[in-house]
Amino acid sequence: MASIDSPSTSPNLALAAQAAILALPVTEERRMADCIRVLAMDAVEKAKSGHPGMPMGMADVATVLFTRFLKYDAADPRWADRDRFVLSAGHGSMLLYGLLHLTGHAGMEMEVLKNFRQLHSAAAGHPEYGEHPAIEMTTGPLGQGISTAVGMAMAERMLAARFGKSLVDHRTWVICSDGDLQEGISHEAAALAGHLGLDKLTVLWDDNHISIDGDTALSFSEDVLRRYQAYGWAVKRVDGHDHAQLAAAMAAATRSKKPTIIACRTIIGFAAPKKAGTAGSHGAPLGADEITGAKSALGWNAEPFTIPEGLKARWEEAGRRSAGTRRSWLKRLAKHPMRVEFERAMAGKLPENWAEGLNALRATFATEKPKIGSRIASQRSLGALVPAVPEMVGGSADLTGSNNTDVKGVPAIGPGNFNGRYVHWGVREHGMAAAMNGMALHGGIIPYGGTFLIFADYLRPALRLAALMHQRVIHVLTHDSIGLGEDGPTHQPVETIASLRAIPNLAVFRPADAMETAECWELALRRTEGPSVLALSRQALPALREDATENRSARGAYVLAEAEGARDVTLIATGSEVQLAIAARATLAEQGIQAAVVSFPCWEIFAQQDEAYRASVLGTAPRIGIEAGIGFGWERWTDAFVGMNGFGASAPAEKLFEHFGITAPALVTAAKSLLGQGPNTQGQSK
Amino acid sequence: MASIDSPSTSPNLALAAQAAILALPVTEERRMADCIRVLAMDAVEKAKSGHPGMPMGMADVATVLFTRFLKYDAADPRWADRDRFVLSAGHGSMLLYGLLHLTGHAGMEMEVLKNFRQLHSAAAGHPEYGEHPAIEMTTGPLGQGISTAVGMAMAERMLAARFGKSLVDHRTWVICSDGDLQEGISHEAAALAGHLGLDKLTVLWDDNHISIDGDTALSFSEDVLRRYQAYGWAVKRVDGHDHAQLAAAMAAATRSKKPTIIACRTIIGFAAPKKAGTAGSHGAPLGADEITGAKSALGWNAEPFTIPEGLKARWEEAGRRSAGTRRSWLKRLAKHPMRVEFERAMAGKLPENWAEGLNALRATFATEKPKIGSRIASQRSLGALVPAVPEMVGGSADLTGSNNTDVKGVPAIGPGNFNGRYVHWGVREHGMAAAMNGMALHGGIIPYGGTFLIFADYLRPALRLAALMHQRVIHVLTHDSIGLGEDGPTHQPVETIASLRAIPNLAVFRPADAMETAECWELALRRTEGPSVLALSRQALPALREDATENRSARGAYVLAEAEGARDVTLIATGSEVQLAIAARATLAEQGIQAAVVSFPCWEIFAQQDEAYRASVLGTAPRIGIEAGIGFGWERWTDAFVGMNGFGASAPAEKLFEHFGITAPALVTAAKSLLGQGPNTQGQSK
């Protein structure tokens, strides 16, 4: 038998190895794996689009996992104590759909598979969270799955620490590809998983030596397992088509005191007579000849999209494997003293009276009128919220003292110790954001995490996925403008807010003072349909509000200061620039120009308000915006804009506001110009 | 002497180790290192802002490097064959400024240091490319420096392969921090460096066990050196305050056949009596007491901002160390047969007649009128350009066949073989983009690289730095809309183009057909002041242009089809939607509505045109935009918009355009509505 362990596989070598495997006696479990293979071939062929090679290569691995190890019950895919399974190599989506179909999951009938990659099909091109309850997350962008799984595994440990092993005791399994391991995000997440000792996390790596460009040796020659050992992981290497080897490695993983990665040496497109072991089987239909040849090689005689009854029955049995375990768990849950609290947290419902402390804080802000950075106001808000909302878990990408994300008396988790509610993520923004997604997806945790606003760029792909998956994750992004001062243009987010506002279903909050900060925290926590960003100032901001009765940020924008009499102009501002609008309003009034000031903490929410409310806020007078960022997107709301035209600079903050002309006098001048009363500096600044 | 090799350092241990080091006899080289320390303390103190701890901790490492190893001549910091030095831990900028001052670089006089972190000072908060000719790149966002340095080292090898060792034979040195190594981007770059065998790259890791949140053990417990061994690097561990150990390790690195990482165990804030070895010395002025104490511990008696003459002379000698080497090199260059070509490439000037092939291709496109994806038109453009521009180096993040970035007959580089002009970057978008920056910064190479447009999010921080540093790097980003079809919302960039347009000094091109694609390639290559993105379609696009004489994309937007008579409405479109505007124009004309069609391949360039030209293109009639992306930012140009309102879906492309209402009939309806002639669907779509 030709070795499939050679570092680089020529197609011929792969075909020889394949022939040797196919010459072995066919077991029932091999046949079960073949079910996955033929469904993948058939569905991709019918769709004329998709990735057959990975499901064909990983069918044996998946079969061993789903028939012998994974704890799940097809009758209740949302069972809270199920094992989590993440298909990080999301392009191999037919592997997952095939498994869900075969194990008898409702909603993944054969008709659905026949509509693979068609509009409104639950069997979308890549697994999409929400399309089917057994899809744990949306995958496809490489590196996200494995990193999100780290967050799921963290959530499991933290909830087990809170609710006990009788309610929370499950594993997290990942199938990943070479590409997942090349992506930087997976490095961040794997390093953290090793650091924390997430022993219930197992990664099954599809070590197929093939990437889209060809042999992985073109670009990938590192010793992956040695690298994972360096992270503190247990490692194994197995023949990914040898069920006994696979079972032994998975069993060892369940006993390991460390997270485990198992390199499963596989042949991509296994069984295809010519394309097996080549990039040709990766991302396109195999074609009729190859499919005929593959089925013949497998000894498969059934029609397309047909699974012989005996095999289907055996698979459905596998889908019921843990049904008894689930029933026992339900009994334990029913009697558990923390049942109500567990169910509440897992359902994502906030505790009763969760807002009491925050409301008290708002009342304090109204009387105290603190002049503090909104990052400090955020910390005070957290001090009111975190004790009241036990599922809130905070953290920072090594900027705790700058992001002010910690709360006194709330301990951090650490290696082997999950009895805490704070995470020192390290300088790993992207891994943090993905793991936060995993915590939210797992359920039972509302994650918030901090870094500088500029580094939203580092975590953007994970944040986009949170928006796509409708997950409540909250990013506390401080140092939100040139107001951070001396650190200079690398740290000054001039276009970052605009770029975040562009992401669908992401709420970007930029509060103007302590009161609005508390209000925005309330809104972010209430927002169950997607992620939120709190863009917060480093510098102190004066209190602009004295009324605490109503959450005025709740409609996205509101008239903070109406004009005396009819409006001549409306000044619209966010965050640290609202104070400038208030000052400009006073100056304009002295000159006989009546200006209203609109505070605009959240565009996304305001855009969803009814037209009457929006009209009442925006008014009919000319409008001018001010924000210490670029004007991109402001044209939607205003006729003119005062802000940045490019990158920032290194200097003390107050010098920078002067230098870039983001001041109350500049706003006065621009407003007058807009009204035809000044030198011609009118119009959008770009 | 207390060990400083303990895995976790308590402040007391660090102070004991520090005392032991300070008790050793003071050498002249230690004194030279102290010069760096006192300048860092003084400058940060005067600025009341900055990071003294890192320069104080790494002063010994930097002294050994700059006095014994680094090839540079303070008299000519842009000497082409100098060693490149990258301060990846950019927050320690005073280390670099101190070194440049001490070695006698013009433009970094003591007055400049006294203006550390002040407006217009070359000594900005973080090193800023362009502020001083010896600053090789802008650093600060962690992970960028080390990854960009990989590109510099690649450039050196590739230029050496082209021009020979007599002209190109230098090393790349990096000082990096724990944070650099935690960031995912550095994993991508380090894996590639190991794969390629970049033996002239040396990383000096400031292994100080301190992060902002406290001891690195809070989040960082991996075995870094074992990890780098897994990548194929040589590794060393030394006492970062022991000059002999440092010199031995650096000497070994210069002989290594692999890239080398040297873990330099240091005490952050070295010499500070209380704050040494703690996060307290990292990111804030030490305060008068600590500075007095530190200077006393060092035996330093000079006034602030004063370097004793003898030490300054010794440092300036170091700054001249390689002056003779440079003179010899200049002589070799003068006689070299490839001198003119070398100087041209290093100056970033395109070859004469570089555009001839491209012009011929444009003429071909005019007559042939090919219906091809713009990614295919891009590949044909590359076929005309790459042979004519020998400094163009292409690549793809493992999507060569999809991005169409390869050119027949142009070989790829590989391990130990740099005689090529194509890079298989692996699934490492961020590392690729940073290394492309490094190639451009090195000079002599114009890098272009491909991935899917959606994965611009993965490389965004590096792209932003390219814009900030004014580097000509070209990103070929294909599959630019829902037009990619079945892969679904994870792969469909609906907000990506908007988010890229928001980045200052980035030109985003979205060509409408083959002709515009060739035009945009010409513009991207001519654009020396910053990076470009080419957003290209997967799907075939009909030819819309027959004229090849003028590059009509060169002004950013132009009237592709004027109205018959006075304009009733102007339809503005980009990329694959221009064909829809053309079709809608015909339908509208049948209904008596005269529409002009504006093709708008590049917003950034159009915004820079004079007002008269802009007015001539935009016209005075109502304007409606169409683009298969969200409308964010379009309000600047149009009164209404047809496009996306949120994420995409998985289905064949033509179904998606129907489903999301991005069609010629939808545009007709919207245009009529805008003109008050249809049902009330008017206005911006969001």
PDB file of all heavy atoms in Angstrom, chain B residues 105 153 165 194 265 299-300 333 335 409 466 470 624 637:
ATOM      1  N   HIS B 105      22.270  61.304  12.255  1.00  0.00           N
ATOM      2  CA  HIS B 105      21.389  61.513  11.107  1.00  0.00           C
ATOM      3  C   HIS B 105      20.877  62.956  11.085  1.00  0.00           C
ATOM      4  O   HIS B 105      20.319  63.427  12.082  1.00  0.00           O
ATOM      5  CB  HIS B 105      20.186  60.569  11.167  1.00  0.00           C
ATOM      6  CG  HIS B 105      20.480  59.175  10.726  1.00  0.00           C
ATOM      7  ND1 HIS B 105      21.129  58.251  11.527  1.00  0.00           N
ATOM      8  CD2 HIS B 105      20.217  58.527   9.554  1.00  0.00           C
ATOM      9  CE1 HIS B 105      21.248  57.099  10.870  1.00  0.00           C
ATOM     10  NE2 HIS B 105      20.714  57.241   9.679  1.00  0.00           N
ATOM     11  N   ALA B 153      12.493  41.520   3.063  1.00  0.00           N
ATOM     12  CA  ALA B 153      13.492  40.462   2.893  1.00  0.00           C
ATOM     13  C   ALA B 153      13.253  39.686   1.599  1.00  0.00           C
ATOM     14  O   ALA B 153      14.206  39.269   0.926  1.00  0.00           O
ATOM     15  CB  ALA B 153      13.461  39.524   4.099  1.00  0.00           C
ATOM     16  N   LYS B 165      24.461  39.882  -6.610  1.00  0.00           N
ATOM     17  CA  LYS B 165      24.852  40.137  -5.236  1.00  0.00           C
ATOM     18  C   LYS B 165      25.735  41.380  -5.108  1.00  0.00           C
ATOM     19  O   LYS B 165      25.841  41.965  -4.030  1.00  0.00           O
ATOM     20  CB  LYS B 165      25.618  38.903  -4.753  1.00  0.00           C
ATOM     21  CG  LYS B 165      25.664  38.727  -3.261  1.00  0.00           C
ATOM     22  CD  LYS B 165      26.332  37.412  -2.871  1.00  0.00           C
ATOM     23  CE  LYS B 165      26.747  37.514  -1.414  1.00  0.00           C
ATOM     24  NZ  LYS B 165      27.172  36.255  -0.844  1.00  0.00           N
ATOM     25  N   GLY B 194       9.547  31.274   6.863  1.00  0.00           N
ATOM     26  CA  GLY B 194      10.167  29.971   7.076  1.00  0.00           C
ATOM     27  C   GLY B 194      10.075  29.105   5.834  1.00  0.00           C
ATOM     28  O   GLY B 194      11.038  28.442   5.445  1.00  0.00           O
ATOM     29  N   ARG B 265      15.820  38.320  26.420  1.00  0.00           N
ATOM     30  CA  ARG B 265      15.160  38.478  27.724  1.00  0.00           C
ATOM     31  C   ARG B 265      15.588  39.796  28.332  1.00  0.00           C
ATOM     32  O   ARG B 265      16.767  40.002  28.641  1.00  0.00           O
ATOM     33  CB  ARG B 265      15.557  37.298  28.614  1.00  0.00           C
ATOM     34  CG  ARG B 265      14.862  37.239  29.938  1.00  0.00           C
ATOM     35  CD  ARG B 265      13.367  36.938  29.776  1.00  0.00           C
ATOM     36  NE  ARG B 265      12.715  37.005  31.075  1.00  0.00           N
ATOM     37  CZ  ARG B 265      12.201  38.128  31.591  1.00  0.00           C
ATOM     38  NH1 ARG B 265      12.240  39.256  30.911  1.00  0.00           N
ATOM     39  NH2 ARG B 265      11.649  38.120  32.782  1.00  0.00           N
ATOM     40  N   GLY B 299      24.437  55.840  36.948  1.00  0.00           N
ATOM     41  CA  GLY B 299      25.611  56.683  37.101  1.00  0.00           C
ATOM     42  C   GLY B 299      25.655  57.775  36.037  1.00  0.00           C
ATOM     43  O   GLY B 299      26.710  58.138  35.526  1.00  0.00           O
ATOM     44  N   TRP B 300      24.518  58.267  35.701  1.00  0.00           N
ATOM     45  CA  TRP B 300      24.396  59.259  34.614  1.00  0.00           C
ATOM     46  C   TRP B 300      24.249  60.642  35.229  1.00  0.00           C
ATOM     47  O   TRP B 300      23.316  60.898  35.992  1.00  0.00           O
ATOM     48  CB  TRP B 300      23.177  58.938  33.754  1.00  0.00           C
ATOM     49  CG  TRP B 300      23.064  59.801  32.538  1.00  0.00           C
ATOM     50  CD1 TRP B 300      22.461  61.017  32.449  1.00  0.00           C
ATOM     51  CD2 TRP B 300      23.592  59.519  31.245  1.00  0.00           C
ATOM     52  NE1 TRP B 300      22.572  61.517  31.187  1.00  0.00           N
ATOM     53  CE2 TRP B 300      23.257  60.615  30.417  1.00  0.00           C
ATOM     54  CE3 TRP B 300      24.318  58.452  30.706  1.00  0.00           C
ATOM     55  CZ2 TRP B 300      23.632  60.659  29.073  1.00  0.00           C
ATOM     56  CZ3 TRP B 300      24.677  58.503  29.375  1.00  0.00           C
ATOM     57  CH2 TRP B 300      24.341  59.598  28.568  1.00  0.00           C
ATOM     58  N   LEU B 333      28.345  50.028  -8.469  1.00  0.00           N
ATOM     59  CA  LEU B 333      27.136  50.441  -9.188  1.00  0.00           C
ATOM     60  C   LEU B 333      27.496  51.221 -10.446  1.00  0.00           C
ATOM     61  O   LEU B 333      26.934  50.994 -11.529  1.00  0.00           O
ATOM     62  CB  LEU B 333      26.247  51.298  -8.284  1.00  0.00           C
ATOM     63  CG  LEU B 333      25.000  51.889  -8.951  1.00  0.00           C
ATOM     64  CD1 LEU B 333      24.016  50.788  -9.352  1.00  0.00           C
ATOM     65  CD2 LEU B 333      24.297  52.903  -8.039  1.00  0.00           C
ATOM     66  N   LYS B 335      29.888  51.081 -12.367  1.00  0.00           N
ATOM     67  CA  LYS B 335      30.406  50.269 -13.473  1.00  0.00           C
ATOM     68  C   LYS B 335      29.455  49.161 -13.897  1.00  0.00           C
ATOM     69  O   LYS B 335      29.740  48.407 -14.822  1.00  0.00           O
ATOM     70  CB  LYS B 335      31.716  49.599 -13.030  1.00  0.00           C
ATOM     71  CG  LYS B 335      32.872  50.536 -12.804  1.00  0.00           C
ATOM     72  CD  LYS B 335      34.098  49.719 -12.422  1.00  0.00           C
ATOM     73  CE  LYS B 335      35.057  50.543 -11.581  1.00  0.00           C
ATOM     74  NZ  LYS B 335      35.893  49.734 -10.728  1.00  0.00           N
ATOM     75  N   GLY B 409       4.077  31.823 -18.335  1.00  0.00           N
ATOM     76  CA  GLY B 409       5.519  31.919 -18.530  1.00  0.00           C
ATOM     77  C   GLY B 409       6.254  32.701 -17.463  1.00  0.00           C
ATOM     78  O   GLY B 409       7.473  32.798 -17.505  1.00  0.00           O
ATOM     79  N   ALA B 466      -0.576  51.086   3.877  1.00  0.00           N
ATOM     80  CA  ALA B 466      -0.081  51.424   2.533  1.00  0.00           C
ATOM     81  C   ALA B 466      -0.566  52.809   2.128  1.00  0.00           C
ATOM     82  O   ALA B 466       0.184  53.609   1.550  1.00  0.00           O
ATOM     83  CB  ALA B 466      -0.544  50.375   1.523  1.00  0.00           C
ATOM     84  N   HIS B 470       1.778  56.069   1.578  1.00  0.00           N
ATOM     85  CA  HIS B 470       1.843  56.452   0.157  1.00  0.00           C
ATOM     86  C   HIS B 470       2.588  55.414  -0.684  1.00  0.00           C
ATOM     87  O   HIS B 470       3.432  55.759  -1.507  1.00  0.00           O
ATOM     88  CB  HIS B 470       2.493  57.824   0.001  1.00  0.00           C
ATOM     89  CG  HIS B 470       1.711  58.927   0.623  1.00  0.00           C
ATOM     90  ND1 HIS B 470       0.787  59.678  -0.064  1.00  0.00           N
ATOM     91  CD2 HIS B 470       1.667  59.395   1.897  1.00  0.00           C
ATOM     92  CE1 HIS B 470       0.218  60.555   0.733  1.00  0.00           C
ATOM     93  NE2 HIS B 470       0.736  60.405   1.939  1.00  0.00           N
ATOM     94  N   ILE B 624     -29.438  59.302 -10.470  1.00  0.00           N
ATOM     95  CA  ILE B 624     -29.704  58.051  -9.774  1.00  0.00           C
ATOM     96  C   ILE B 624     -28.507  57.125  -9.953  1.00  0.00           C
ATOM     97  O   ILE B 624     -27.938  57.039 -11.045  1.00  0.00           O
ATOM     98  CB  ILE B 624     -31.023  57.415 -10.263  1.00  0.00           C
ATOM     99  CG1 ILE B 624     -31.361  56.163  -9.456  1.00  0.00           C
ATOM    100  CG2 ILE B 624     -30.981  57.093 -11.746  1.00  0.00           C
ATOM    101  CD1 ILE B 624     -32.812  55.742  -9.601  1.00  0.00           C
ATOM    102  N   TRP B 637     -23.324  61.731  -4.500  1.00  0.00           N
ATOM    103  CA  TRP B 637     -23.377  61.937  -5.948  1.00  0.00           C
ATOM    104  C   TRP B 637     -24.782  61.924  -6.512  1.00  0.00           C
ATOM    105  O   TRP B 637     -25.006  62.439  -7.609  1.00  0.00           O
ATOM    106  CB  TRP B 637     -22.566  60.837  -6.654  1.00  0.00           C
ATOM    107  CG  TRP B 637     -21.203  60.610  -6.076  1.00  0.00           C
ATOM    108  CD1 TRP B 637     -20.789  59.532  -5.347  1.00  0.00           C
ATOM    109  CD2 TRP B 637     -20.078  61.493  -6.157  1.00  0.00           C
ATOM    110  NE1 TRP B 637     -19.471  59.681  -4.982  1.00  0.00           N
ATOM    111  CE2 TRP B 637     -19.004  60.874  -5.465  1.00  0.00           C
ATOM    112  CE3 TRP B 637     -19.860  62.737  -6.748  1.00  0.00           C
ATOM    113  CZ2 TRP B 637     -17.748  61.460  -5.341  1.00  0.00           C
ATOM    114  CZ3 TRP B 637     -18.605  63.321  -6.628  1.00  0.00           C
ATOM    115  CH2 TRP B 637     -17.566  62.688  -5.929  1.00  0.00           C
TER     116      TRP B 637
END
